[in-house]
Amino acid sequence: MPLQAGRDIFSAMAARLFGLEAEAAVKDAQRAQAKAVSYAILYGAGPGLLVQSLAVSLDAAKRLIAAWHRAYPRVQELVEERLHAARLVGFVETLG
């Protein structure tokens, strides 16, 4: 796990997202894209936000989101589970 090993989580995510063998091969722009798409997905933003924040085309933003979901398939399931639970009880809880 990158965090437990003291590694840069967004460099690790970028390596996985872009299919790079080593985190050292990640360029600054790739790290920034991985970070932006991660937050956009987790906060429910769509590709339009990535178009603006990363200055990429709409198609490129959609491809980034699709690649992220392929790299981290379980995340969407967890989000859906939390949304379902929140709808049932009427609120969400944070970890703490």
Side-chain angles (χ1 to χ4, degrees):
M1 298 293 292
L3 287 177
Q4 294 168 340
R7 296 174 9 223
D8 179 353
I9 187 70
F10 295 113
S11 290
M13 293 176 94
R16 188 169 180 180
L17 185 63
F18 294 104
L20 303 172
E21 291 293 323
E23 291 171 35
V26 172
K27 294 179 175 35
D28 289 343
Q30 290 171 315
R31 183 189 181 280
Q33 287 180 337
K35 183 176 181 178
V37 74
S38 296
Y39 281 111
I41 288 169
L42 294 175
Y43 284 102
L49 178 71
L50 294 177
V51 168
Q52 293 176 335
S53 64
L54 296 175
V56 296
S57 70
L58 183 59
D59 285 340
K62 289 178 180 179
R63 284 192 306 272
L64 275 171
I65 290 170
W68 196 95
H69 282 294
R70 282 191 304 275
Y72 301 98
R74 182 77 173 107
V75 173
Q76 189 60 38
E77 293 173 32
L78 293 171
V79 168
E80 293 299 325
E81 289 171 10
R82 294 291 82 215
L83 286 172
H84 178 71
R87 288 182 184 114
L88 288 175
V89 298
F91 61 91
V92 295
E93 294 177 312
T94 57
L95 299 175

PDB file of all heavy atoms in Angstrom, residues 6-33:
ATOM      1  N   GLY A   6       4.938   4.977   2.795  1.00  0.00           N
ATOM      2  CA  GLY A   6       5.471   6.327   2.749  1.00  0.00           C
ATOM      3  C   GLY A   6       5.643   6.869   1.340  1.00  0.00           C
ATOM      4  O   GLY A   6       6.383   7.815   1.114  1.00  0.00           O
ATOM      5  N   ARG A   7       4.952   6.257   0.379  1.00  0.00           N
ATOM      6  CA  ARG A   7       5.055   6.701  -1.010  1.00  0.00           C
ATOM      7  C   ARG A   7       3.992   7.761  -1.301  1.00  0.00           C
ATOM      8  O   ARG A   7       3.047   7.932  -0.559  1.00  0.00           O
ATOM      9  CB  ARG A   7       4.884   5.500  -1.951  1.00  0.00           C
ATOM     10  CG  ARG A   7       6.002   4.505  -1.776  1.00  0.00           C
ATOM     11  CD  ARG A   7       5.889   3.203  -2.538  1.00  0.00           C
ATOM     12  NE  ARG A   7       4.864   3.052  -3.519  1.00  0.00           N
ATOM     13  CZ  ARG A   7       4.122   1.948  -3.644  1.00  0.00           C
ATOM     14  NH1 ARG A   7       4.281   0.927  -2.809  1.00  0.00           N
ATOM     15  NH2 ARG A   7       3.227   1.847  -4.598  1.00  0.00           N
ATOM     16  N   ASP A   8       4.163   8.442  -2.405  1.00  0.00           N
ATOM     17  CA  ASP A   8       3.214   9.460  -2.850  1.00  0.00           C
ATOM     18  C   ASP A   8       2.005   8.761  -3.463  1.00  0.00           C
ATOM     19  O   ASP A   8       2.114   8.107  -4.498  1.00  0.00           O
ATOM     20  CB  ASP A   8       3.901  10.367  -3.875  1.00  0.00           C
ATOM     21  CG  ASP A   8       2.986  11.450  -4.435  1.00  0.00           C
ATOM     22  OD1 ASP A   8       1.772  11.447  -4.142  1.00  0.00           O
ATOM     23  OD2 ASP A   8       3.492  12.302  -5.177  1.00  0.00           O
ATOM     24  N   ILE A   9       0.854   8.889  -2.822  1.00  0.00           N
ATOM     25  CA  ILE A   9      -0.345   8.186  -3.265  1.00  0.00           C
ATOM     26  C   ILE A   9      -0.747   8.570  -4.686  1.00  0.00           C
ATOM     27  O   ILE A   9      -1.170   7.723  -5.470  1.00  0.00           O
ATOM     28  CB  ILE A   9      -1.519   8.410  -2.277  1.00  0.00           C
ATOM     29  CG1 ILE A   9      -2.727   7.537  -2.644  1.00  0.00           C
ATOM     30  CG2 ILE A   9      -1.941   9.870  -2.230  1.00  0.00           C
ATOM     31  CD1 ILE A   9      -2.531   6.094  -2.418  1.00  0.00           C
ATOM     32  N   PHE A  10      -0.608   9.843  -5.052  1.00  0.00           N
ATOM     33  CA  PHE A  10      -1.042  10.259  -6.383  1.00  0.00           C
ATOM     34  C   PHE A  10      -0.073   9.809  -7.474  1.00  0.00           C
ATOM     35  O   PHE A  10      -0.496   9.535  -8.599  1.00  0.00           O
ATOM     36  CB  PHE A  10      -1.306  11.760  -6.434  1.00  0.00           C
ATOM     37  CG  PHE A  10      -2.466  12.153  -5.553  1.00  0.00           C
ATOM     38  CD1 PHE A  10      -2.264  12.925  -4.432  1.00  0.00           C
ATOM     39  CD2 PHE A  10      -3.744  11.717  -5.843  1.00  0.00           C
ATOM     40  CE1 PHE A  10      -3.335  13.263  -3.610  1.00  0.00           C
ATOM     41  CE2 PHE A  10      -4.816  12.043  -5.030  1.00  0.00           C
ATOM     42  CZ  PHE A  10      -4.613  12.820  -3.911  1.00  0.00           C
ATOM     43  N   SER A  11       1.196   9.683  -7.149  1.00  0.00           N
ATOM     44  CA  SER A  11       2.138   9.102  -8.112  1.00  0.00           C
ATOM     45  C   SER A  11       1.834   7.623  -8.316  1.00  0.00           C
ATOM     46  O   SER A  11       1.876   7.122  -9.441  1.00  0.00           O
ATOM     47  CB  SER A  11       3.580   9.280  -7.645  1.00  0.00           C
ATOM     48  OG  SER A  11       3.947  10.637  -7.720  1.00  0.00           O
ATOM     49  N   ALA A  12       1.502   6.937  -7.226  1.00  0.00           N
ATOM     50  CA  ALA A  12       1.140   5.522  -7.340  1.00  0.00           C
ATOM     51  C   ALA A  12      -0.133   5.365  -8.160  1.00  0.00           C
ATOM     52  O   ALA A  12      -0.235   4.470  -9.012  1.00  0.00           O
ATOM     53  CB  ALA A  12       0.957   4.921  -5.948  1.00  0.00           C
ATOM     54  N   MET A  13      -1.103   6.235  -7.925  1.00  0.00           N
ATOM     55  CA  MET A  13      -2.353   6.174  -8.690  1.00  0.00           C
ATOM     56  C   MET A  13      -2.097   6.472 -10.167  1.00  0.00           C
ATOM     57  O   MET A  13      -2.669   5.820 -11.045  1.00  0.00           O
ATOM     58  CB  MET A  13      -3.371   7.158  -8.125  1.00  0.00           C
ATOM     59  CG  MET A  13      -3.853   6.793  -6.744  1.00  0.00           C
ATOM     60  SD  MET A  13      -4.954   8.041  -6.078  1.00  0.00           S
ATOM     61  CE  MET A  13      -6.511   7.316  -6.578  1.00  0.00           C
ATOM     62  N   ALA A  14      -1.258   7.451 -10.440  1.00  0.00           N
ATOM     63  CA  ALA A  14      -0.955   7.805 -11.827  1.00  0.00           C
ATOM     64  C   ALA A  14      -0.261   6.653 -12.544  1.00  0.00           C
ATOM     65  O   ALA A  14      -0.582   6.359 -13.700  1.00  0.00           O
ATOM     66  CB  ALA A  14      -0.090   9.067 -11.882  1.00  0.00           C
ATOM     67  N   ALA A  15       0.668   5.995 -11.864  1.00  0.00           N
ATOM     68  CA  ALA A  15       1.350   4.851 -12.488  1.00  0.00           C
ATOM     69  C   ALA A  15       0.331   3.781 -12.856  1.00  0.00           C
ATOM     70  O   ALA A  15       0.367   3.232 -13.962  1.00  0.00           O
ATOM     71  CB  ALA A  15       2.411   4.290 -11.541  1.00  0.00           C
ATOM     72  N   ARG A  16      -0.594   3.514 -11.965  1.00  0.00           N
ATOM     73  CA  ARG A  16      -1.628   2.515 -12.236  1.00  0.00           C
ATOM     74  C   ARG A  16      -2.580   2.984 -13.328  1.00  0.00           C
ATOM     75  O   ARG A  16      -2.924   2.227 -14.235  1.00  0.00           O
ATOM     76  CB  ARG A  16      -2.397   2.233 -10.943  1.00  0.00           C
ATOM     77  CG  ARG A  16      -3.350   1.096 -11.042  1.00  0.00           C
ATOM     78  CD  ARG A  16      -3.858   0.732  -9.669  1.00  0.00           C
ATOM     79  NE  ARG A  16      -4.794  -0.365  -9.741  1.00  0.00           N
ATOM     80  CZ  ARG A  16      -5.389  -0.876  -8.699  1.00  0.00           C
ATOM     81  NH1 ARG A  16      -5.136  -0.418  -7.485  1.00  0.00           N
ATOM     82  NH2 ARG A  16      -6.243  -1.869  -8.824  1.00  0.00           N
ATOM     83  N   LEU A  17      -2.984   4.237 -13.260  1.00  0.00           N
ATOM     84  CA  LEU A  17      -3.934   4.804 -14.218  1.00  0.00           C
ATOM     85  C   LEU A  17      -3.376   4.812 -15.639  1.00  0.00           C
ATOM     86  O   LEU A  17      -4.080   4.514 -16.595  1.00  0.00           O
ATOM     87  CB  LEU A  17      -4.301   6.218 -13.781  1.00  0.00           C
ATOM     88  CG  LEU A  17      -5.364   6.966 -14.547  1.00  0.00           C
ATOM     89  CD1 LEU A  17      -6.710   6.272 -14.437  1.00  0.00           C
ATOM     90  CD2 LEU A  17      -5.479   8.386 -14.026  1.00  0.00           C
ATOM     91  N   PHE A  18      -2.098   5.144 -15.770  1.00  0.00           N
ATOM     92  CA  PHE A  18      -1.483   5.264 -17.089  1.00  0.00           C
ATOM     93  C   PHE A  18      -0.684   4.023 -17.495  1.00  0.00           C
ATOM     94  O   PHE A  18      -0.003   4.021 -18.515  1.00  0.00           O
ATOM     95  CB  PHE A  18      -0.603   6.520 -17.150  1.00  0.00           C
ATOM     96  CG  PHE A  18      -1.407   7.788 -17.036  1.00  0.00           C
ATOM     97  CD1 PHE A  18      -1.415   8.511 -15.860  1.00  0.00           C
ATOM     98  CD2 PHE A  18      -2.175   8.236 -18.099  1.00  0.00           C
ATOM     99  CE1 PHE A  18      -2.174   9.670 -15.740  1.00  0.00           C
ATOM    100  CE2 PHE A  18      -2.936   9.392 -17.994  1.00  0.00           C
ATOM    101  CZ  PHE A  18      -2.938  10.108 -16.816  1.00  0.00           C
ATOM    102  N   GLY A  19      -0.748   2.962 -16.687  1.00  0.00           N
ATOM    103  CA  GLY A  19      -0.095   1.701 -17.040  1.00  0.00           C
ATOM    104  C   GLY A  19       1.416   1.771 -17.042  1.00  0.00           C
ATOM    105  O   GLY A  19       2.067   1.112 -17.853  1.00  0.00           O
ATOM    106  N   LEU A  20       1.981   2.535 -16.121  1.00  0.00           N
ATOM    107  CA  LEU A  20       3.435   2.665 -16.040  1.00  0.00           C
ATOM    108  C   LEU A  20       3.995   1.638 -15.058  1.00  0.00           C
ATOM    109  O   LEU A  20       3.377   1.344 -14.042  1.00  0.00           O
ATOM    110  CB  LEU A  20       3.817   4.078 -15.601  1.00  0.00           C
ATOM    111  CG  LEU A  20       3.275   5.206 -16.486  1.00  0.00           C
ATOM    112  CD1 LEU A  20       3.549   6.551 -15.857  1.00  0.00           C
ATOM    113  CD2 LEU A  20       3.854   5.116 -17.875  1.00  0.00           C
ATOM    114  N   GLU A  21       5.150   1.119 -15.368  1.00  0.00           N
ATOM    115  CA  GLU A  21       5.775   0.101 -14.523  1.00  0.00           C
ATOM    116  C   GLU A  21       6.252   0.661 -13.184  1.00  0.00           C
ATOM    117  O   GLU A  21       6.155   0.001 -12.172  1.00  0.00           O
ATOM    118  CB  GLU A  21       6.957  -0.538 -15.260  1.00  0.00           C
ATOM    119  CG  GLU A  21       6.550  -1.389 -16.440  1.00  0.00           C
ATOM    120  CD  GLU A  21       5.801  -2.638 -16.029  1.00  0.00           C
ATOM    121  OE1 GLU A  21       6.138  -3.231 -14.989  1.00  0.00           O
ATOM    122  OE2 GLU A  21       4.862  -3.020 -16.748  1.00  0.00           O
ATOM    123  N   ALA A  22       6.771   1.880 -13.207  1.00  0.00           N
ATOM    124  CA  ALA A  22       7.357   2.449 -11.995  1.00  0.00           C
ATOM    125  C   ALA A  22       6.800   3.838 -11.724  1.00  0.00           C
ATOM    126  O   ALA A  22       6.552   4.608 -12.653  1.00  0.00           O
ATOM    127  CB  ALA A  22       8.875   2.534 -12.137  1.00  0.00           C
ATOM    128  N   GLU A  23       6.620   4.133 -10.455  1.00  0.00           N
ATOM    129  CA  GLU A  23       6.157   5.464 -10.072  1.00  0.00           C
ATOM    130  C   GLU A  23       7.144   6.539 -10.510  1.00  0.00           C
ATOM    131  O   GLU A  23       6.752   7.664 -10.791  1.00  0.00           O
ATOM    132  CB  GLU A  23       5.935   5.533  -8.567  1.00  0.00           C
ATOM    133  CG  GLU A  23       4.763   4.714  -8.110  1.00  0.00           C
ATOM    134  CD  GLU A  23       4.671   4.614  -6.606  1.00  0.00           C
ATOM    135  OE1 GLU A  23       5.009   5.593  -5.914  1.00  0.00           O
ATOM    136  OE2 GLU A  23       4.255   3.541  -6.124  1.00  0.00           O
ATOM    137  N   ALA A  24       8.403   6.192 -10.581  1.00  0.00           N
ATOM    138  CA  ALA A  24       9.427   7.154 -10.989  1.00  0.00           C
ATOM    139  C   ALA A  24       9.209   7.617 -12.430  1.00  0.00           C
ATOM    140  O   ALA A  24       9.684   8.689 -12.811  1.00  0.00           O
ATOM    141  CB  ALA A  24      10.816   6.553 -10.838  1.00  0.00           C
ATOM    142  N   ALA A  25       8.485   6.839 -13.208  1.00  0.00           N
ATOM    143  CA  ALA A  25       8.217   7.197 -14.608  1.00  0.00           C
ATOM    144  C   ALA A  25       7.054   8.182 -14.745  1.00  0.00           C
ATOM    145  O   ALA A  25       6.812   8.706 -15.832  1.00  0.00           O
ATOM    146  CB  ALA A  25       7.921   5.943 -15.421  1.00  0.00           C
ATOM    147  N   VAL A  26       6.350   8.442 -13.659  1.00  0.00           N
ATOM    148  CA  VAL A  26       5.196   9.340 -13.692  1.00  0.00           C
ATOM    149  C   VAL A  26       5.662  10.786 -13.855  1.00  0.00           C
ATOM    150  O   VAL A  26       6.522  11.266 -13.122  1.00  0.00           O
ATOM    151  CB  VAL A  26       4.354   9.206 -12.398  1.00  0.00           C
ATOM    152  CG1 VAL A  26       3.270  10.270 -12.327  1.00  0.00           C
ATOM    153  CG2 VAL A  26       3.759   7.813 -12.302  1.00  0.00           C
ATOM    154  N   LYS A  27       5.088  11.458 -14.828  1.00  0.00           N
ATOM    155  CA  LYS A  27       5.379  12.876 -15.054  1.00  0.00           C
ATOM    156  C   LYS A  27       4.456  13.723 -14.178  1.00  0.00           C
ATOM    157  O   LYS A  27       3.398  13.266 -13.754  1.00  0.00           O
ATOM    158  CB  LYS A  27       5.179  13.221 -16.525  1.00  0.00           C
ATOM    159  CG  LYS A  27       6.169  12.527 -17.457  1.00  0.00           C
ATOM    160  CD  LYS A  27       5.887  12.891 -18.898  1.00  0.00           C
ATOM    161  CE  LYS A  27       6.880  12.348 -19.879  1.00  0.00           C
ATOM    162  NZ  LYS A  27       7.452  11.072 -19.652  1.00  0.00           N
ATOM    163  N   ASP A  28       4.866  14.956 -13.913  1.00  0.00           N
ATOM    164  CA  ASP A  28       4.070  15.847 -13.064  1.00  0.00           C
ATOM    165  C   ASP A  28       2.646  16.009 -13.588  1.00  0.00           C
ATOM    166  O   ASP A  28       1.693  16.018 -12.811  1.00  0.00           O
ATOM    167  CB  ASP A  28       4.733  17.218 -12.950  1.00  0.00           C
ATOM    168  CG  ASP A  28       6.004  17.196 -12.121  1.00  0.00           C
ATOM    169  OD1 ASP A  28       6.220  16.218 -11.365  1.00  0.00           O
ATOM    170  OD2 ASP A  28       6.789  18.157 -12.224  1.00  0.00           O
ATOM    171  N   ALA A  29       2.492  16.135 -14.896  1.00  0.00           N
ATOM    172  CA  ALA A  29       1.156  16.310 -15.482  1.00  0.00           C
ATOM    173  C   ALA A  29       0.293  15.065 -15.256  1.00  0.00           C
ATOM    174  O   ALA A  29      -0.917  15.186 -15.003  1.00  0.00           O
ATOM    175  CB  ALA A  29       1.264  16.613 -16.968  1.00  0.00           C
ATOM    176  N   GLN A  30       0.894  13.890 -15.314  1.00  0.00           N
ATOM    177  CA  GLN A  30       0.135  12.657 -15.073  1.00  0.00           C
ATOM    178  C   GLN A  30      -0.297  12.568 -13.615  1.00  0.00           C
ATOM    179  O   GLN A  30      -1.421  12.161 -13.313  1.00  0.00           O
ATOM    180  CB  GLN A  30       0.970  11.436 -15.450  1.00  0.00           C
ATOM    181  CG  GLN A  30       1.188  11.302 -16.940  1.00  0.00           C
ATOM    182  CD  GLN A  30       2.194  10.227 -17.276  1.00  0.00           C
ATOM    183  OE1 GLN A  30       3.250  10.131 -16.651  1.00  0.00           O
ATOM    184  NE2 GLN A  30       1.855   9.412 -18.268  1.00  0.00           N
ATOM    185  N   ARG A  31       0.588  12.965 -12.705  1.00  0.00           N
ATOM    186  CA  ARG A  31       0.244  12.977 -11.287  1.00  0.00           C
ATOM    187  C   ARG A  31      -0.914  13.940 -11.048  1.00  0.00           C
ATOM    188  O   ARG A  31      -1.865  13.634 -10.331  1.00  0.00           O
ATOM    189  CB  ARG A  31       1.447  13.374 -10.442  1.00  0.00           C
ATOM    190  CG  ARG A  31       1.162  13.322  -8.951  1.00  0.00           C
ATOM    191  CD  ARG A  31       2.304  13.941  -8.140  1.00  0.00           C
ATOM    192  NE  ARG A  31       2.024  13.857  -6.711  1.00  0.00           N
ATOM    193  CZ  ARG A  31       1.222  14.700  -6.061  1.00  0.00           C
ATOM    194  NH1 ARG A  31       0.604  15.685  -6.706  1.00  0.00           N
ATOM    195  NH2 ARG A  31       1.021  14.563  -4.752  1.00  0.00           N
ATOM    196  N   ALA A  32      -0.838  15.126 -11.642  1.00  0.00           N
ATOM    197  CA  ALA A  32      -1.898  16.124 -11.490  1.00  0.00           C
ATOM    198  C   ALA A  32      -3.224  15.603 -12.042  1.00  0.00           C
ATOM    199  O   ALA A  32      -4.280  15.819 -11.441  1.00  0.00           O
ATOM    200  CB  ALA A  32      -1.503  17.422 -12.183  1.00  0.00           C
ATOM    201  N   GLN A  33      -3.170  14.911 -13.172  1.00  0.00           N
ATOM    202  CA  GLN A  33      -4.392  14.355 -13.746  1.00  0.00           C
ATOM    203  C   GLN A  33      -4.984  13.275 -12.844  1.00  0.00           C
ATOM    204  O   GLN A  33      -6.192  13.229 -12.626  1.00  0.00           O
ATOM    205  CB  GLN A  33      -4.120  13.791 -15.135  1.00  0.00           C
ATOM    206  CG  GLN A  33      -3.906  14.865 -16.178  1.00  0.00           C
ATOM    207  CD  GLN A  33      -3.637  14.287 -17.555  1.00  0.00           C
ATOM    208  OE1 GLN A  33      -3.200  13.141 -17.702  1.00  0.00           O
ATOM    209  NE2 GLN A  33      -3.884  15.089 -18.570  1.00  0.00           N
TER     210      GLN A  33
END
